[in-house]
Amino acid sequence: MTPHQTSKASPGRSITLLSVGHACVDVYQGAVASLVPFFVSERAYTYAAASGIVLAASLMSSVVQPLFGALTDKWAMPWLLPVSTMVSGAGVALAGVGGSYALTLVAVAVSGIGIAAYHPQAARVARNASRGSHTAMGWFSLGGNLGFAVAPLMVSPVIATGGLPASPLLIVPAVAGVALCSAALRGVKAPAAVTAAARASRAIGGDDWASFVKLSGAIVCRSIVFVGLSAFISLYASRRTGAGDFSGTAALFVLYLGGAVGTVAGGKLATRHGRIPVVQWSYALTILAVAGVVFVPGPLLYVFVALTSAGLYVPFSLHITLGQDYLPQRVATASGVTLGLAVSAGGIVSPLIGAVADATSLQTALAPLIALPALGWLLLRTLNEPDMLHSATGQPPPSPQPDPAADATTRP
């Protein structure tokens, strides 16, 4: 009997709840950067001080994720979803209270820890709820991308109206997220038969660290390209098109729009063609697309920004499921790395791009980004689907179904 037949829970409803809950958490990743202009104007922070706030939040939300992944691989902690959701919101809500820079750093760092604690456990629950569906995992990832994108729409009206002391109002998405996470956990159940099958599968299938490291290296390349373009595409587009600030804002919007289209498209394409081919072709497309962004002037630039967006976002959710399948014994750890640590590399390299731009030109600084998706493609070209790896050894493929701790993991 298949897991679709044995489970009474609705995977569509559970994934929807998890996706919207994901948005309620990731809105706080974008919220910190959205608060920076208000810190500068109301507290007279220098740019260095403001960047320190963003760095504190991003380091905690990214670098700490693998640690929480290792913990949730060892112990099932379903309660971590609602608790981490509330912590992520509380940190941002308190960031505007008082005027102490040190306390502000602590507040955003606490928010970052909440975000770090949420993602490995949430990705594991989403994997269970999706029952191996790449499209479903795409919807889960889409929620996070949308949450990040709408953060300025949440922060700006609140803080522009009430100032930084109004930041406690920003707790509202976290409260909604707690309710959504709790409902999702109640809806995701792992039948005994499915759990036993997953236990047997994981007992046979070992972790493929070599493939996982290559995949993580490719994700780092993708992250540097995305963060680098996010930081400078607005200014670059306004100069290349000669159309002023609006053209730069439009270019940034097109780049982010790929999160809504590409993430879901990636899941659908992978269902038809397989994950590895889709990821490989996405990186190949990104090579040409970034070259167009760097060297093509005028309105045609927007076409290449859109192609770059597609190339960067189509493999987003596939990175997560591939990482989980390469490390079937450490699903949450894999999620923490693919969603956190590898993605943080872009933020570390971004200041270097700015330094090169100051010393030369923005076009010169962005040109090396063309080589990074090429390097990612080289890392990916030797990878096989995880089930193919096991087939080659004569062992059954690892199940896309829940892990041994699924019963405990998905029940509050």
Side-chain angles (χ1 to χ4, degrees), residues 4-144:
H4 295 274
Q5 295 169 320
T6 58
S7 176
K8 296 180 180 179
S10 169
R13 180 178 181 274
S14 297
I15 286 294
T16 299
L17 291 170
L18 288 168
S19 179
V20 181
H22 194 184
C24 291
V25 172
D26 277 10
V27 72
Y28 294 110
Q29 293 206 72
V32 175
S34 301
L35 285 169
V36 166
F38 297 99
F39 285 131
V40 173
S41 62
E42 294 188 28
R43 296 183 180 176
Y45 286 172
T46 64
Y47 291 123
S51 64
I53 293 173
V54 177
L55 182 62
S58 62
L59 282 178
M60 289 298 101
S61 65
S62 300
V63 176
V64 181
Q65 277 196 44
L67 172 61
F68 280 102
L71 292 173
T72 53
D73 275 328
K74 190 170 184 179
W75 296 289
M77 294 186 285
W79 52 267
L80 203 54
L81 262 66
V83 170
S84 60
T85 299
M86 183 56 68
V87 170
S88 64
V92 168
L94 294 174
V97 177
S100 168
Y101 181 73
L103 290 179
T104 300
L105 283 179
V106 170
V108 298
V110 167
S111 177
I113 292 172
I115 293 168
Y118 170 85
H119 282 93
Q121 182 68 37
R124 171 190 246 177
V125 175
R127 175 185 172 91
N128 184 31
S130 70
R131 301 168 183 173
S133 168
H134 305 316
T135 301
M137 285 299 291
W139 283 110
F140 169 72
S141 300
L142 173 63

Side-chain angles (χ1 to χ4, degrees), residues 266-292:
K268 293 182 179 295
L269 289 170
T271 301
R272 175 174 295 184
H273 303 291
R275 290 174 293 182
I276 294 297
V278 171
V279 171
Q280 289 173 339
W281 278 107
S282 297
Y283 277 71
L285 169 66
T286 306
I287 300 170
L288 300 176
V290 175

Side-chain angles (χ1 to χ4, degrees), residues 139-280:
W139 283 110
F140 169 72
S141 300
L142 173 63
N145 291 331
L146 291 179
F148 186 92
V150 304
L153 303 179
M154 175 188 75
V155 171
S156 296
V158 172
I159 306 302
T161 301
L164 286 173
S167 66
L169 294 175
L170 301 178
I171 196 69
V172 173
V175 175
V178 169
L180 291 164
C181 288
S182 300
L185 288 172
R186 287 193 297 269
V188 181
K189 304 295 183 182
V194 175
T195 304
R199 183 182 294 112
S201 168
R202 285 171 52 113
I204 295 173
D207 293 332
D208 181 5
W209 282 101
S211 295
F212 182 77
V213 169
K214 292 178 183 178
L215 175 68
S216 299
I219 297 173
V220 168
C221 294
R222 183 258 181 206
S223 170
I224 295 173
V225 174
F226 179 74
V227 175
L229 289 178
S230 296
F232 299 107
I233 191 63
S234 182
L235 178 61
Y236 186 69
S238 64
R239 293 178 177 178
R240 294 290 285 178
T241 61
D245 293 340
F246 175 77
S247 63
T249 302
L252 187 61
F253 174 76
V254 171
L255 182 66
Y256 284 158
L257 184 64
V261 180
T263 306
V264 175
K268 293 182 179 295
L269 289 170
T271 301
R272 175 174 295 184
H273 303 291
R275 290 174 293 182
I276 294 297
V278 171
V279 171
Q280 289 173 339

Side-chain angles (χ1 to χ4, degrees), residues 330-342:
R330 296 172 175 82
V331 169
T333 298
S335 303
V337 173
T338 54
L339 279 171
L341 184 61

